[in-house]
Amino acid sequence: MNLNKSMIGIASNPYSVVIEREHVTRFAQAIGDNNLLYENEAYAKTTAYEGMTVPPTFLVALGSHAEFPLKLDFKRMLHGEQEFIYHQPVRIGDKLDCIMTVTDVYDRVGKSGTMQFLVLDTNMTTEDDTLVAVSRNTIIYRPVPKEAK
């Protein structure tokens, strides 16, 4: 399958995730981030965040819950870029309603030929539909190897 602009707007089924303290703690340990904002409520209340929050890159862990309708060849995929756009802090106990959508498809010529880029935005909202954050993932979709054509 090759990518094309007609894919823009294709979305996953909506899904919900509850931010659990244990998950946040394990994530912070895995990335070696021992910031007290993720563990110590008394300390976190004294900061600009006014309470515990999640590590900035934590949202990447929530994308695995998406059921995405595009059937992509995982052998051709490379992680290109990840961006997190926060509109408000994400806190332990928050229930986020999420939907992943194709927001862009474009081509670039590289050393091995034309590569395609797929941009996926996962919008994360509260139950009252307030946008909390967007996790933007750019996937590089490599050309089919010549011997496989």
Side-chain angles (χ1 to χ4, degrees), residues 22-33:
E22 183 179 340
H23 194 188
V24 172
T25 299
R26 285 188 295 170
F27 185 89
Q29 289 170 343
I31 64 171
D33 190 343

Side-chain angles (χ1 to χ4, degrees), residues 53-82:
T53 186
V54 300
T57 58
F58 177 79
L59 300 181
V60 74
L62 306 183
S64 63
H65 298 285
E67 292 180 25
F68 204 67
L70 289 178
K71 302 301 176 214
L72 301 171
D73 182 354
F74 291 110
K75 292 181 254 173
R76 294 177 57 194
M77 293 171 56
L78 291 173
H79 184 269
E81 184 176 296
Q82 188 76 45

